[in-house]
Amino acid sequence: MNLLEARYQQLAAKPLFAALRAKTPMVATWDDHDYGLNDAGSDYTKKEESKEIFLRFWNEPEGSERRQRPGIHTSYTFTDPTLKKSLQVIMLDTRTFRTPLTKNTTSSYKNDYRPDSSPANTFLGADQWSWLKSRLQEPADLRLIATSIQFGHEYNGWESWTNFPTEIEKMVDLIKETKANGVVFLSGDVHWGELSVLKAPGCYPLHDLTASGINEEWDILEPNRNRVGQACMDHHFGFIEINWQDADPSVALHIKDVTGRARVKQNVRLSR
């Protein structure tokens, strides 16, 4: 834990990060290395200590709901009273409650993990699923759901929702049950940037914008039949631009490289 805290302080001391933090509101959730162990889930023994370091670094207020319950999931709603539009940002915790992944031990699958449809498997845990249902029942025009690992792509043998197919079905069913409009997923983890679209029966297309190469380039790209356009293997960041002024607001989903050029760009009307 001393090393983990030291790494957070190393980040805080970086001039570019400090400058960004000073002028831009930030919200955060964690992936495995913020959590404390590669590919870790509910069996990680230091999750409570890690949570305290995480919340302290991100200036979580004392007494907040996030501090009162297990996990770090939370949500925010931003409303423009003039336009009468609202944006909901939901930050999932895909670490604290996640059951162990199933190792790949056969040639039928690839890389480290294989899909396991056991009903006992979970990414979010019962309490977080219940919490998410309540959030999706709240009114909002657009909902950004941050999940540290990919949701809408094709199975590739690395960490993702595709390792627990029943959990993907549960998410889609929850969106349909709550009639939650305007859901877009934001993800990271894989070291490249791409846009995936999951087309599930009875549900509108679910876009998943993956950005995870702000600090490195990558040279191994996994196939993804759900990918729209090309992937970005260079240094990049994700960028979403919403035009609320249109009668049918547009949501531009971008992956931009260090020059600011959009390497991935998809404009989606909110009605979709």
Side-chain angles (χ1 to χ4, degrees), residues 126 128-138 143 166-181 183 200-204 206:
Q128 187 176 182
W129 274 115
S130 178
W131 171 87
L132 177 60
K133 180 177 181 178
S134 296
R135 301 291 76 74
L136 292 179
Q137 289 172 328
E138 295 172 352
R143 307 168 197 271
T166 53
E167 289 287 89
I168 295 179
E169 293 176 12
K170 188 170 183 176
M171 179 68 80
V172 172
D173 288 345
L174 185 61
I175 291 171
K176 292 192 290 187
E177 177 191 349
T178 58
K179 296 181 172 58
N181 58 297
V183 169
C203 187
Y204 56 85
L206 296 173

Side-chain angles (χ1 to χ4, degrees), residues 220-266:
I220 304 172
L221 179 65
E222 293 288 345
N224 178 11
R225 286 176 292 186
N226 297 345
R227 183 183 298 133
V228 176
Q230 301 296 313
C232 181
M233 311 294 285
D234 304 325
H235 298 275
H236 67 269
F237 60 95
F239 188 84
I240 298 178
E241 188 171 25
I242 309 160
N243 185 352
W244 293 114
Q245 305 290 344
D246 292 348
D248 186 3
S250 63
V251 183
L253 305 172
H254 298 188
I255 297 294
K256 295 192 174 188
D257 62 22
V258 292
T259 70
R261 182 167 67 94
R263 302 281 290 275
V264 176
K265 183 174 182 179
Q266 181 81 358

Side-chain angles (χ1 to χ4, degrees), residues 19-272:
L20 177 65
R21 194 175 199 180
K23 65 184 293 190
T24 306
M26 292 176 136
V27 296
T29 190
W30 56 20
D31 197 33
D32 49 350
H33 293 274
D34 319 272
Y35 190 49
L37 189 67
N38 188 56
D39 293 357
S42 60
D43 52 352
Y44 179 53
T45 60
K46 295 289 187 181
K47 52 178 171 257
E48 289 304 319
E49 295 91 333
S50 185
K51 174 182 176 177
E52 175 56 32
I53 294 172
F54 177 92
L55 295 182
R56 188 163 62 243
F57 178 79
W58 292 108
N59 299 318
E60 185 71 23
E62 295 294 335
S64 73
E65 287 188 10
R66 211 178 191 187
R67 288 185 177 274
Q68 303 306 311
R69 61 177 178 235
I72 63 163
H73 49 289
T74 192
S75 68
Y76 310 86
T77 299
F78 305 93
T79 302
D80 187 316
T82 302
L83 295 173
K84 297 182 180 179
K85 300 292 185 181
S86 60
L87 170 68
Q88 184 184 51
V89 179
I90 297 173
M91 314 292 285
L92 298 182
D93 180 346
T94 60
R95 294 293 161 189
T96 303
F97 312 99
R98 197 215 70 207
T99 48
L101 300 171
T102 302
K103 292 283 189 179
N104 177 27
T105 57
T106 73
S107 59
S108 301
Y109 298 96
K110 62 179 181 177
N111 296 325
D112 287 355
Y113 305 109
R114 67 170 178 84
D116 185 342
S117 296
S118 169
N121 287 335
T122 184
F123 265 111
L124 305 184
D127 289 346
Q128 187 176 182
W129 274 115
S130 178
W131 171 87
L132 177 60
K133 180 177 181 178
S134 296
R135 301 291 76 74
L136 292 179
Q137 289 172 328
E138 295 172 352
D141 294 288
L142 180 66
R143 307 168 197 271
L144 305 180
I145 300 182
T147 164
S148 68
I149 53 176
Q150 288 186 293
F151 175 81
H153 71 132
E154 178 187 10
Y155 162 81
N156 61 28
W158 302 119
E159 272 201 294
S160 84
W161 284 74
T162 59
N163 293 314
F164 293 167
T166 53
E167 289 287 89
I168 295 179
E169 293 176 12
K170 188 170 183 176
M171 179 68 80
V172 172
D173 288 345
L174 185 61
I175 291 171
K176 292 192 290 187
E177 177 191 349
T178 58
K179 296 181 172 58
N181 58 297
V183 169
V184 174
F185 289 89
L186 309 178
S187 61
D189 179 60
V190 291
H191 309 297
W192 63 82
E194 64 182 349
L195 176 63
S196 304
V197 179
L198 179 66
K199 296 178 180 178
C203 187
Y204 56 85
L206 296 173
H207 294 71
D208 179 2
L209 185 67
T210 302
S212 56
I214 201 168
N215 65 334
E216 64 182 327
E217 296 181 341
W218 203 248
D219 58 2
I220 304 172
L221 179 65
E222 293 288 345
N224 178 11
R225 286 176 292 186
N226 297 345
R227 183 183 298 133
V228 176
Q230 301 296 313
C232 181
M233 311 294 285
D234 304 325
H235 298 275
H236 67 269
F237 60 95
F239 188 84
I240 298 178
E241 188 171 25
I242 309 160
N243 185 352
W244 293 114
Q245 305 290 344
D246 292 348
D248 186 3
S250 63
V251 183
L253 305 172
H254 298 188
I255 297 294
K256 295 192 174 188
D257 62 22
V258 292
T259 70
R261 182 167 67 94
R263 302 281 290 275
V264 176
K265 183 174 182 179
Q266 181 81 358
N267 286 308
V268 185
R269 291 293 176 180
L270 195 57
S271 58
R272 290 188 55 200

